[in-house]
Short mmCIF file of all heavy atoms in Angstrom, two decimals:
data_model
loop_
_atom_site.label_atom_id
_atom_site.label_comp_id
_atom_site.label_asym_id
_atom_site.label_seq_id
_atom_site.Cartn_x
_atom_site.Cartn_y
_atom_site.Cartn_z
N MET A 18 -15.57 -17.41 -20.02
CA MET A 18 -15.47 -17.13 -18.60
C MET A 18 -16.74 -16.43 -18.13
O MET A 18 -17.32 -15.63 -18.84
CB MET A 18 -14.27 -16.23 -18.31
CG MET A 18 -12.94 -16.95 -18.49
SD MET A 18 -11.48 -15.91 -18.33
CE MET A 18 -11.42 -15.61 -16.61
N THR A 19 -17.09 -16.74 -16.91
CA THR A 19 -18.31 -16.15 -16.36
C THR A 19 -17.98 -14.84 -15.64
O THR A 19 -16.82 -14.47 -15.47
CB THR A 19 -18.95 -17.13 -15.36
OG1 THR A 19 -18.04 -17.32 -14.27
CG2 THR A 19 -19.26 -18.46 -16.01
N ASN A 20 -19.04 -14.16 -15.24
CA ASN A 20 -18.86 -12.91 -14.50
C ASN A 20 -18.14 -13.14 -13.18
O ASN A 20 -17.37 -12.30 -12.73
CB ASN A 20 -20.20 -12.23 -14.25
CG ASN A 20 -20.76 -11.62 -15.52
OD1 ASN A 20 -20.03 -11.36 -16.47
ND2 ASN A 20 -22.07 -11.38 -15.53
N VAL A 21 -18.41 -14.25 -12.54
CA VAL A 21 -17.78 -14.57 -11.26
C VAL A 21 -16.27 -14.75 -11.45
O VAL A 21 -15.47 -14.31 -10.62
CB VAL A 21 -18.42 -15.83 -10.64
CG1 VAL A 21 -17.72 -16.23 -9.36
CG2 VAL A 21 -19.89 -15.60 -10.39
N ALA A 22 -15.88 -15.35 -12.54
CA ALA A 22 -14.46 -15.54 -12.82
C ALA A 22 -13.77 -14.20 -13.05
O ALA A 22 -12.64 -13.98 -12.58
CB ALA A 22 -14.27 -16.45 -14.02
N PHE A 23 -14.45 -13.29 -13.75
CA PHE A 23 -13.86 -11.97 -13.97
C PHE A 23 -13.73 -11.19 -12.67
O PHE A 23 -12.77 -10.47 -12.46
CB PHE A 23 -14.69 -11.17 -14.98
CG PHE A 23 -14.49 -11.61 -16.39
CD1 PHE A 23 -15.57 -11.91 -17.20
CD2 PHE A 23 -13.21 -11.71 -16.93
CE1 PHE A 23 -15.40 -12.31 -18.51
CE2 PHE A 23 -13.02 -12.11 -18.25
CZ PHE A 23 -14.12 -12.41 -19.03
N VAL A 24 -14.73 -11.33 -11.79
CA VAL A 24 -14.66 -10.65 -10.49
C VAL A 24 -13.52 -11.21 -9.66
O VAL A 24 -12.78 -10.46 -9.02
CB VAL A 24 -16.01 -10.77 -9.75
CG1 VAL A 24 -15.90 -10.30 -8.31
CG2 VAL A 24 -17.08 -9.96 -10.47
N ALA A 25 -13.34 -12.53 -9.68
CA ALA A 25 -12.23 -13.13 -8.93
C ALA A 25 -10.89 -12.68 -9.49
O ALA A 25 -9.96 -12.38 -8.72
CB ALA A 25 -12.35 -14.66 -8.98
N LEU A 26 -10.77 -12.61 -10.79
CA LEU A 26 -9.55 -12.12 -11.41
C LEU A 26 -9.28 -10.66 -11.06
O LEU A 26 -8.15 -10.28 -10.73
CB LEU A 26 -9.65 -12.29 -12.93
CG LEU A 26 -8.41 -11.94 -13.74
CD1 LEU A 26 -7.26 -12.85 -13.38
CD2 LEU A 26 -8.73 -12.04 -15.21
N ALA A 27 -10.32 -9.84 -11.08
CA ALA A 27 -10.16 -8.43 -10.73
C ALA A 27 -9.76 -8.26 -9.27
O ALA A 27 -8.90 -7.43 -8.94
CB ALA A 27 -11.46 -7.68 -11.01
N CYS A 28 -10.34 -9.07 -8.38
CA CYS A 28 -9.98 -8.99 -6.96
C CYS A 28 -8.52 -9.38 -6.76
O CYS A 28 -7.80 -8.74 -5.98
CB CYS A 28 -10.88 -9.90 -6.13
SG CYS A 28 -12.57 -9.32 -6.02
N GLY A 29 -8.08 -10.39 -7.44
CA GLY A 29 -6.68 -10.79 -7.33
C GLY A 29 -5.73 -9.72 -7.84
O GLY A 29 -4.68 -9.46 -7.26
N LEU A 30 -6.12 -9.07 -8.94
CA LEU A 30 -5.29 -7.98 -9.47
C LEU A 30 -5.26 -6.78 -8.54
O LEU A 30 -4.21 -6.16 -8.34
CB LEU A 30 -5.79 -7.57 -10.85
CG LEU A 30 -5.47 -8.53 -11.98
CD1 LEU A 30 -6.17 -8.09 -13.27
CD2 LEU A 30 -3.98 -8.62 -12.19
N ILE A 31 -6.40 -6.43 -7.96
CA ILE A 31 -6.46 -5.30 -7.04
C ILE A 31 -5.55 -5.54 -5.84
O ILE A 31 -4.74 -4.69 -5.47
CB ILE A 31 -7.91 -5.03 -6.58
CG1 ILE A 31 -8.75 -4.47 -7.71
CG2 ILE A 31 -7.93 -4.07 -5.40
CD1 ILE A 31 -10.22 -4.39 -7.39
N ILE A 32 -5.66 -6.71 -5.25
CA ILE A 32 -4.86 -7.01 -4.06
C ILE A 32 -3.39 -7.18 -4.43
O ILE A 32 -2.50 -6.65 -3.76
CB ILE A 32 -5.41 -8.26 -3.35
CG1 ILE A 32 -6.79 -7.95 -2.78
CG2 ILE A 32 -4.47 -8.72 -2.24
CD1 ILE A 32 -7.51 -9.16 -2.21
N GLY A 33 -3.10 -7.90 -5.50
CA GLY A 33 -1.71 -8.16 -5.89
C GLY A 33 -0.96 -6.90 -6.29
O GLY A 33 0.15 -6.66 -5.81
N LEU A 34 -1.56 -6.10 -7.15
CA LEU A 34 -0.88 -4.88 -7.59
C LEU A 34 -0.78 -3.87 -6.46
O LEU A 34 0.21 -3.13 -6.37
CB LEU A 34 -1.59 -4.29 -8.80
CG LEU A 34 -1.52 -5.12 -10.08
CD1 LEU A 34 -2.34 -4.46 -11.18
CD2 LEU A 34 -0.08 -5.30 -10.52
N GLY A 35 -1.79 -3.84 -5.61
CA GLY A 35 -1.71 -2.94 -4.45
C GLY A 35 -0.60 -3.34 -3.50
O GLY A 35 0.11 -2.49 -2.97
N ALA A 36 -0.44 -4.63 -3.29
CA ALA A 36 0.63 -5.10 -2.40
C ALA A 36 2.00 -4.82 -3.00
O ALA A 36 2.92 -4.38 -2.29
CB ALA A 36 0.47 -6.61 -2.15
N ILE A 37 2.14 -5.04 -4.29
CA ILE A 37 3.43 -4.77 -4.94
C ILE A 37 3.76 -3.27 -4.85
O ILE A 37 4.88 -2.89 -4.51
CB ILE A 37 3.41 -5.25 -6.40
CG1 ILE A 37 3.42 -6.77 -6.46
CG2 ILE A 37 4.58 -4.67 -7.18
CD1 ILE A 37 3.18 -7.33 -7.85
N GLY A 38 2.79 -2.43 -5.13
CA GLY A 38 3.01 -0.99 -5.07
C GLY A 38 3.35 -0.51 -3.68
O GLY A 38 4.25 0.31 -3.48
N ALA A 39 2.64 -1.03 -2.67
CA ALA A 39 2.91 -0.63 -1.29
C ALA A 39 4.29 -1.10 -0.84
O ALA A 39 5.03 -0.34 -0.20
CB ALA A 39 1.83 -1.18 -0.36
N CYS A 40 4.66 -2.30 -1.20
CA CYS A 40 5.98 -2.82 -0.81
C CYS A 40 7.11 -2.04 -1.47
O CYS A 40 8.10 -1.70 -0.82
CB CYS A 40 6.10 -4.29 -1.16
SG CYS A 40 5.07 -5.35 -0.15
N ILE A 41 6.96 -1.73 -2.73
CA ILE A 41 7.99 -0.95 -3.42
C ILE A 41 8.08 0.46 -2.83
O ILE A 41 9.17 0.98 -2.57
CB ILE A 41 7.72 -0.91 -4.94
CG1 ILE A 41 7.97 -2.29 -5.55
CG2 ILE A 41 8.58 0.14 -5.62
CD1 ILE A 41 7.55 -2.41 -7.00
N GLY A 42 6.94 1.08 -2.59
CA GLY A 42 6.93 2.42 -2.03
C GLY A 42 7.54 2.48 -0.64
O GLY A 42 8.35 3.37 -0.34
N ILE A 43 7.19 1.53 0.22
CA ILE A 43 7.74 1.51 1.58
C ILE A 43 9.23 1.19 1.54
O ILE A 43 10.03 1.77 2.29
CB ILE A 43 6.95 0.53 2.46
CG1 ILE A 43 5.55 1.09 2.72
CG2 ILE A 43 7.67 0.29 3.78
CD1 ILE A 43 4.62 0.12 3.41
N GLY A 44 9.64 0.31 0.65
CA GLY A 44 11.06 -0.02 0.52
C GLY A 44 11.89 1.17 0.07
O GLY A 44 12.96 1.44 0.62
N LEU A 45 11.42 1.88 -0.95
CA LEU A 45 12.13 3.07 -1.41
C LEU A 45 12.19 4.14 -0.33
O LEU A 45 13.24 4.78 -0.12
CB LEU A 45 11.47 3.63 -2.66
CG LEU A 45 11.63 2.82 -3.95
CD1 LEU A 45 10.78 3.42 -5.05
CD2 LEU A 45 13.08 2.79 -4.35
N MET A 46 11.08 4.34 0.36
CA MET A 46 11.07 5.35 1.40
C MET A 46 11.98 4.97 2.57
O MET A 46 12.67 5.83 3.13
CB MET A 46 9.65 5.57 1.90
CG MET A 46 9.56 6.71 2.88
SD MET A 46 7.89 7.06 3.42
CE MET A 46 7.34 5.46 3.93
N GLY A 47 12.01 3.71 2.93
CA GLY A 47 12.91 3.26 3.99
C GLY A 47 14.37 3.46 3.62
O GLY A 47 15.19 3.87 4.46
N GLY A 48 14.71 3.19 2.38
CA GLY A 48 16.08 3.40 1.92
C GLY A 48 16.47 4.86 1.95
O GLY A 48 17.57 5.22 2.37
N LYS A 49 15.54 5.72 1.52
CA LYS A 49 15.82 7.16 1.54
C LYS A 49 15.93 7.68 2.98
O LYS A 49 16.72 8.57 3.28
CB LYS A 49 14.74 7.94 0.80
CG LYS A 49 14.68 7.63 -0.67
CD LYS A 49 15.94 8.05 -1.39
CE LYS A 49 15.80 7.77 -2.87
NZ LYS A 49 16.97 8.15 -3.63
N TYR A 50 15.14 7.09 3.89
CA TYR A 50 15.24 7.48 5.30
C TYR A 50 16.62 7.11 5.86
O TYR A 50 17.23 7.91 6.58
CB TYR A 50 14.14 6.81 6.12
CG TYR A 50 14.40 6.87 7.61
CD1 TYR A 50 14.30 8.07 8.29
CD2 TYR A 50 14.78 5.73 8.31
CE1 TYR A 50 14.55 8.13 9.64
CE2 TYR A 50 15.04 5.79 9.65
CZ TYR A 50 14.93 6.99 10.32
OH TYR A 50 15.19 7.05 11.66
N LEU A 51 17.10 5.93 5.53
CA LEU A 51 18.42 5.52 6.01
C LEU A 51 19.52 6.42 5.44
O LEU A 51 20.46 6.79 6.15
CB LEU A 51 18.69 4.06 5.66
CG LEU A 51 17.89 3.04 6.44
CD1 LEU A 51 18.18 1.64 5.91
CD2 LEU A 51 18.19 3.12 7.90
N GLU A 52 19.39 6.78 4.17
CA GLU A 52 20.37 7.69 3.57
C GLU A 52 20.34 9.06 4.25
O GLU A 52 21.39 9.63 4.57
CB GLU A 52 20.10 7.88 2.08
CG GLU A 52 20.41 6.68 1.24
CD GLU A 52 20.03 6.89 -0.22
OE1 GLU A 52 19.73 8.05 -0.60
OE2 GLU A 52 20.05 5.91 -0.97
N ALA A 53 19.14 9.58 4.48
CA ALA A 53 19.02 10.90 5.09
C ALA A 53 19.50 10.90 6.53
O ALA A 53 20.15 11.85 6.98
CB ALA A 53 17.57 11.37 5.02
N SER A 54 19.22 9.84 7.28
CA SER A 54 19.66 9.79 8.68
C SER A 54 21.16 9.55 8.77
O SER A 54 21.78 9.94 9.76
CB SER A 54 18.89 8.73 9.45
OG SER A 54 19.12 7.45 8.92
N ALA A 55 21.76 8.94 7.77
CA ALA A 55 23.21 8.78 7.77
C ALA A 55 23.90 10.11 7.46
O ALA A 55 24.98 10.39 7.98
CB ALA A 55 23.63 7.73 6.76
N ARG A 56 23.27 10.94 6.62
CA ARG A 56 23.87 12.23 6.27
C ARG A 56 23.70 13.25 7.39
O ARG A 56 24.60 14.05 7.65
CB ARG A 56 23.23 12.79 5.00
CG ARG A 56 23.66 12.05 3.78
CD ARG A 56 23.07 12.67 2.54
NE ARG A 56 23.40 11.83 1.40
CZ ARG A 56 22.95 12.04 0.19
NH1 ARG A 56 22.15 13.07 -0.04
NH2 ARG A 56 23.27 11.25 -0.79
N GLN A 57 22.52 13.26 8.02
CA GLN A 57 22.26 14.22 9.10
C GLN A 57 21.63 13.50 10.28
O GLN A 57 20.41 13.44 10.42
CB GLN A 57 21.34 15.33 8.60
CG GLN A 57 21.96 16.20 7.55
CD GLN A 57 21.05 17.32 7.13
OE1 GLN A 57 19.83 17.20 7.21
NE2 GLN A 57 21.64 18.41 6.68
N PRO A 58 22.46 12.94 11.16
CA PRO A 58 21.93 12.16 12.29
C PRO A 58 21.11 12.99 13.27
O PRO A 58 20.26 12.43 13.98
CB PRO A 58 23.18 11.61 12.98
CG PRO A 58 24.30 11.83 12.06
CD PRO A 58 23.91 12.89 11.10
N GLU A 59 21.31 14.28 13.31
CA GLU A 59 20.56 15.10 14.26
C GLU A 59 19.09 15.24 13.87
O GLU A 59 18.26 15.57 14.71
CB GLU A 59 21.20 16.49 14.41
CG GLU A 59 21.15 17.37 13.16
CD GLU A 59 22.30 17.15 12.21
OE1 GLU A 59 23.15 16.27 12.46
OE2 GLU A 59 22.33 17.84 11.18
N LEU A 60 18.75 14.96 12.62
CA LEU A 60 17.36 15.03 12.17
C LEU A 60 16.66 13.67 12.20
O LEU A 60 15.54 13.55 11.70
CB LEU A 60 17.30 15.59 10.75
CG LEU A 60 17.74 17.04 10.56
CD1 LEU A 60 17.69 17.41 9.10
CD2 LEU A 60 16.86 17.96 11.38
N MET A 61 17.30 12.69 12.78
CA MET A 61 16.77 11.33 12.70
C MET A 61 15.38 11.19 13.35
O MET A 61 14.50 10.54 12.79
CB MET A 61 17.75 10.36 13.37
CG MET A 61 17.52 8.93 13.02
SD MET A 61 19.04 8.03 13.12
CE MET A 61 18.82 7.15 14.59
N ASN A 62 15.15 11.82 14.49
CA ASN A 62 13.85 11.68 15.16
C ASN A 62 12.72 12.32 14.36
O ASN A 62 11.63 11.75 14.23
CB ASN A 62 13.92 12.29 16.56
CG ASN A 62 14.78 11.47 17.49
OD1 ASN A 62 14.91 10.26 17.31
ND2 ASN A 62 15.37 12.12 18.47
N ALA A 63 12.97 13.49 13.81
CA ALA A 63 11.93 14.15 13.00
C ALA A 63 11.65 13.36 11.72
O ALA A 63 10.49 13.21 11.32
CB ALA A 63 12.37 15.57 12.66
N LEU A 64 12.71 12.86 11.10
CA LEU A 64 12.51 12.07 9.88
C LEU A 64 11.81 10.75 10.17
O LEU A 64 11.00 10.29 9.37
CB LEU A 64 13.86 11.81 9.21
CG LEU A 64 14.56 13.02 8.60
CD1 LEU A 64 15.94 12.62 8.12
CD2 LEU A 64 13.74 13.59 7.47
N GLN A 65 12.11 10.16 11.31
CA GLN A 65 11.48 8.88 11.66
C GLN A 65 9.98 9.05 11.86
O GLN A 65 9.19 8.22 11.42
CB GLN A 65 12.13 8.31 12.92
CG GLN A 65 11.65 6.93 13.27
CD GLN A 65 12.36 6.39 14.48
OE1 GLN A 65 12.94 7.13 15.27
NE2 GLN A 65 12.32 5.09 14.64
N THR A 66 9.60 10.14 12.52
CA THR A 66 8.17 10.41 12.72
C THR A 66 7.45 10.55 11.39
O THR A 66 6.38 9.97 11.18
CB THR A 66 8.00 11.69 13.55
OG1 THR A 66 8.71 11.55 14.77
CG2 THR A 66 6.55 11.98 13.83
N LYS A 67 8.04 11.31 10.49
CA LYS A 67 7.42 11.51 9.18
C LYS A 67 7.40 10.23 8.36
O LYS A 67 6.44 9.96 7.64
CB LYS A 67 8.15 12.61 8.42
CG LYS A 67 7.94 13.97 9.05
CD LYS A 67 8.78 15.03 8.40
CE LYS A 67 8.63 16.34 9.16
NZ LYS A 67 9.55 17.36 8.70
N MET A 68 8.44 9.42 8.50
CA MET A 68 8.49 8.17 7.75
C MET A 68 7.39 7.22 8.21
O MET A 68 6.69 6.62 7.39
CB MET A 68 9.85 7.48 7.91
CG MET A 68 9.97 6.26 7.02
SD MET A 68 11.32 5.16 7.42
CE MET A 68 10.74 4.41 8.91
N PHE A 69 7.19 7.10 9.53
CA PHE A 69 6.15 6.20 10.01
C PHE A 69 4.76 6.70 9.67
O PHE A 69 3.85 5.90 9.43
CB PHE A 69 6.30 5.97 11.52
CG PHE A 69 7.38 4.98 11.85
CD1 PHE A 69 8.37 5.29 12.77
CD2 PHE A 69 7.42 3.74 11.25
CE1 PHE A 69 9.36 4.38 13.08
CE2 PHE A 69 8.41 2.82 11.54
CZ PHE A 69 9.38 3.15 12.45
N LEU A 70 4.58 8.00 9.63
CA LEU A 70 3.30 8.55 9.21
C LEU A 70 3.02 8.18 7.76
O LEU A 70 1.91 7.73 7.41
CB LEU A 70 3.29 10.06 9.38
CG LEU A 70 2.02 10.79 8.94
CD1 LEU A 70 0.87 10.40 9.85
CD2 LEU A 70 2.24 12.27 8.96
N LEU A 71 4.01 8.32 6.90
CA LEU A 71 3.82 7.97 5.49
C LEU A 71 3.67 6.47 5.27
O LEU A 71 2.92 6.05 4.38
CB LEU A 71 4.98 8.52 4.67
CG LEU A 71 4.98 10.05 4.51
CD1 LEU A 71 6.25 10.51 3.82
CD2 LEU A 71 3.76 10.49 3.75
N VAL A 72 4.36 5.67 6.07
CA VAL A 72 4.17 4.21 5.97
C VAL A 72 2.73 3.84 6.29
O VAL A 72 2.12 3.01 5.61
CB VAL A 72 5.16 3.47 6.91
CG1 VAL A 72 4.76 2.03 7.10
CG2 VAL A 72 6.56 3.54 6.35
N GLY A 73 2.17 4.48 7.31
CA GLY A 73 0.77 4.23 7.64
C GLY A 73 -0.18 4.64 6.53
O GLY A 73 -1.16 3.94 6.23
N LEU A 74 0.10 5.76 5.88
CA LEU A 74 -0.76 6.21 4.78
C LEU A 74 -0.65 5.29 3.57
O LEU A 74 -1.65 5.00 2.91
CB LEU A 74 -0.41 7.64 4.40
CG LEU A 74 -0.79 8.71 5.44
CD1 LEU A 74 -0.23 10.06 5.01
CD2 LEU A 74 -2.28 8.78 5.62
N ILE A 75 0.56 4.85 3.26
CA ILE A 75 0.75 3.93 2.12
C ILE A 75 0.04 2.62 2.41
O ILE A 75 -0.65 2.05 1.55
CB ILE A 75 2.24 3.72 1.84
CG1 ILE A 75 2.87 4.99 1.29
CG2 ILE A 75 2.45 2.57 0.84
CD1 ILE A 75 4.38 4.94 1.19
N ASP A 76 0.18 2.12 3.64
CA ASP A 76 -0.46 0.86 4.01
C ASP A 76 -1.98 1.02 4.03
O ASP A 76 -2.70 0.08 3.68
CB ASP A 76 0.07 0.40 5.36
CG ASP A 76 -0.16 -1.06 5.60
OD1 ASP A 76 -0.13 -1.84 4.62
OD2 ASP A 76 -0.37 -1.46 6.77
N ALA A 77 -2.46 2.18 4.44
CA ALA A 77 -3.91 2.40 4.45
C ALA A 77 -4.47 2.37 3.04
O ALA A 77 -5.57 1.85 2.82
CB ALA A 77 -4.22 3.73 5.13
N ALA A 78 -3.74 2.93 2.08
CA ALA A 78 -4.22 2.90 0.69
C ALA A 78 -4.31 1.46 0.20
O ALA A 78 -5.27 1.09 -0.50
CB ALA A 78 -3.28 3.71 -0.19
N PHE A 79 -3.33 0.62 0.57
CA PHE A 79 -3.39 -0.78 0.18
C PHE A 79 -4.59 -1.48 0.85
O PHE A 79 -5.30 -2.26 0.21
CB PHE A 79 -2.09 -1.49 0.56
CG PHE A 79 -2.18 -2.98 0.54
CD1 PHE A 79 -2.42 -3.66 -0.63
CD2 PHE A 79 -2.03 -3.71 1.70
CE1 PHE A 79 -2.52 -5.03 -0.66
CE2 PHE A 79 -2.13 -5.08 1.70
CZ PHE A 79 -2.37 -5.74 0.51
N LEU A 80 -4.82 -1.20 2.13
CA LEU A 80 -5.93 -1.85 2.83
C LEU A 80 -7.29 -1.39 2.30
O LEU A 80 -8.25 -2.16 2.33
CB LEU A 80 -5.82 -1.61 4.32
CG LEU A 80 -4.66 -2.35 4.98
CD1 LEU A 80 -4.57 -1.99 6.45
CD2 LEU A 80 -4.79 -3.85 4.80
N ILE A 81 -7.38 -0.17 1.81
CA ILE A 81 -8.62 0.28 1.16
C ILE A 81 -8.86 -0.54 -0.10
O ILE A 81 -9.99 -0.95 -0.40
CB ILE A 81 -8.56 1.78 0.87
CG1 ILE A 81 -8.66 2.56 2.17
CG2 ILE A 81 -9.67 2.20 -0.09
CD1 ILE A 81 -8.39 4.03 2.03
N GLY A 82 -7.80 -0.83 -0.85
CA GLY A 82 -7.92 -1.68 -2.03
C GLY A 82 -8.36 -3.09 -1.66
O GLY A 82 -9.17 -3.70 -2.36
N VAL A 83 -7.83 -3.62 -0.56
CA VAL A 83 -8.24 -4.95 -0.11
C VAL A 83 -9.72 -4.94 0.28
O VAL A 83 -10.47 -5.86 -0.05
CB VAL A 83 -7.37 -5.42 1.08
CG1 VAL A 83 -7.93 -6.67 1.72
CG2 VAL A 83 -5.95 -5.67 0.62
N GLY A 84 -10.15 -3.89 0.98
CA GLY A 84 -11.57 -3.79 1.35
C GLY A 84 -12.47 -3.70 0.13
O GLY A 84 -13.54 -4.31 0.09
N LEU A 85 -12.04 -2.96 -0.87
CA LEU A 85 -12.82 -2.85 -2.10
C LEU A 85 -12.88 -4.20 -2.82
O LEU A 85 -13.93 -4.60 -3.34
CB LEU A 85 -12.20 -1.79 -3.01
CG LEU A 85 -12.95 -1.40 -4.25
CD1 LEU A 85 -14.26 -0.73 -3.87
CD2 LEU A 85 -12.11 -0.47 -5.09
N ALA A 86 -11.77 -4.92 -2.84
CA ALA A 86 -11.76 -6.24 -3.47
C ALA A 86 -12.68 -7.21 -2.71
O ALA A 86 -13.38 -8.01 -3.33
CB ALA A 86 -10.34 -6.79 -3.52
N MET A 87 -12.68 -7.13 -1.38
CA MET A 87 -13.57 -8.00 -0.61
C MET A 87 -15.04 -7.63 -0.84
O MET A 87 -15.91 -8.50 -0.85
CB MET A 87 -13.23 -7.90 0.88
CG MET A 87 -11.89 -8.49 1.25
SD MET A 87 -11.75 -10.25 0.88
CE MET A 87 -10.60 -10.23 -0.46
N LEU A 88 -15.31 -6.34 -1.04
CA LEU A 88 -16.68 -5.93 -1.38
C LEU A 88 -17.11 -6.57 -2.68
O LEU A 88 -18.22 -7.11 -2.78
CB LEU A 88 -16.75 -4.41 -1.49
CG LEU A 88 -18.06 -3.84 -2.06
CD1 LEU A 88 -19.17 -3.97 -1.03
CD2 LEU A 88 -17.88 -2.41 -2.49
N PHE A 89 -16.23 -6.52 -3.68
CA PHE A 89 -16.56 -7.13 -4.96
C PHE A 89 -16.67 -8.64 -4.86
O PHE A 89 -17.46 -9.27 -5.55
CB PHE A 89 -15.54 -6.77 -6.02
CG PHE A 89 -15.59 -5.34 -6.46
CD1 PHE A 89 -14.47 -4.73 -6.97
CD2 PHE A 89 -16.76 -4.61 -6.37
CE1 PHE A 89 -14.51 -3.41 -7.39
CE2 PHE A 89 -16.81 -3.28 -6.77
CZ PHE A 89 -15.67 -2.69 -7.28
N ALA A 90 -15.88 -9.25 -3.99
CA ALA A 90 -15.89 -10.72 -3.89
C ALA A 90 -17.13 -11.24 -3.16
O ALA A 90 -17.70 -12.25 -3.57
CB ALA A 90 -14.63 -11.19 -3.17
N PHE A 91 -17.56 -10.55 -2.11
CA PHE A 91 -18.63 -11.11 -1.29
C PHE A 91 -19.97 -10.42 -1.45
O PHE A 91 -21.02 -11.04 -1.23
CB PHE A 91 -18.22 -11.08 0.19
CG PHE A 91 -17.02 -11.96 0.46
CD1 PHE A 91 -15.82 -11.40 0.84
CD2 PHE A 91 -17.10 -13.33 0.31
CE1 PHE A 91 -14.70 -12.20 1.08
CE2 PHE A 91 -16.02 -14.13 0.54
CZ PHE A 91 -14.81 -13.57 0.93
N ALA A 92 -20.01 -9.16 -1.78
CA ALA A 92 -21.26 -8.44 -1.97
C ALA A 92 -21.18 -7.76 -3.33
O ALA A 92 -21.25 -6.53 -3.43
CB ALA A 92 -21.47 -7.43 -0.86
N ASN A 93 -21.05 -8.54 -4.36
CA ASN A 93 -20.80 -8.03 -5.69
C ASN A 93 -21.97 -7.21 -6.21
O ASN A 93 -23.05 -7.74 -6.43
CB ASN A 93 -20.50 -9.20 -6.63
CG ASN A 93 -19.95 -8.74 -7.95
OD1 ASN A 93 -19.86 -7.55 -8.21
ND2 ASN A 93 -19.59 -9.68 -8.79
N PRO A 94 -21.77 -5.90 -6.43
CA PRO A 94 -22.88 -5.10 -6.96
C PRO A 94 -23.13 -5.29 -8.45
O PRO A 94 -24.13 -4.81 -8.97
CB PRO A 94 -22.41 -3.66 -6.68
CG PRO A 94 -20.94 -3.73 -6.66
CD PRO A 94 -20.60 -5.10 -6.14
N PHE A 95 -22.25 -6.02 -9.13
CA PHE A 95 -22.39 -6.20 -10.58
C PHE A 95 -23.23 -7.43 -10.94
O PHE A 95 -23.57 -7.61 -12.10
CB PHE A 95 -21.01 -6.31 -11.24
CG PHE A 95 -20.18 -5.08 -11.03
CD1 PHE A 95 -18.98 -5.15 -10.34
CD2 PHE A 95 -20.59 -3.85 -11.48
CE1 PHE A 95 -18.22 -4.03 -10.13
CE2 PHE A 95 -19.84 -2.71 -11.28
CZ PHE A 95 -18.66 -2.80 -10.61
N VAL A 96 -23.47 -8.29 -9.95
CA VAL A 96 -24.27 -9.49 -10.23
C VAL A 96 -25.72 -9.14 -9.98
O VAL A 96 -26.10 -8.69 -8.90
CB VAL A 96 -23.82 -10.67 -9.34
CG1 VAL A 96 -24.75 -11.86 -9.53
CG2 VAL A 96 -22.40 -11.05 -9.66
N GLY A 97 -26.56 -9.34 -10.96
CA GLY A 97 -27.95 -8.94 -10.86
C GLY A 97 -28.80 -9.97 -10.38
O GLY A 97 -29.45 -10.64 -9.96
#
């Protein structure tokens, strides 16, 4: 395999594993939010604000991984 093939494989792993991790994390957090809002409905607005803030941070971490993978794919610093 060539260096280009390894870079393509690494980019796929970065994006794929990042997407799986973000989806699992957001799914678990959404489930816990539903449980917490069912137990204490009066805290629903405060919990919803915090949940959406964390969803944005989790998604931002995934998008940083996508940006890094695109850097490696199109402006590869490892190819001399």
Side-chain angles (χ1 to χ4, degrees):
M18 289 174 73
T19 64
N20 287 340
V21 176
F23 285 129
V24 170
L26 184 63
C28 290
L30 286 173
I31 289 171
I32 293 172
L34 293 176
I37 288 171
C40 290
I41 290 172
I43 290 172
L45 289 173
M46 186 177 51
K49 296 296 182 180
Y50 165 71
L51 289 176
E52 289 176 11
S54 62
R56 288 183 186 175
Q57 294 183 333
E59 66 273 3
L60 294 177
M61 197 151 105
N62 290 333
L64 291 174
Q65 186 177 20
T66 304
K67 291 174 185 172
M68 186 195 73
F69 281 128
L70 178 67
L71 289 174
V72 165
L74 291 173
I75 291 171
D76 199 33
F79 164 64
L80 290 177
I81 289 171
V83 170
L85 188 65
M87 292 299 110
L88 171 73
F89 289 154
F91 296 113
N93 192 356
F95 300 118
V96 174

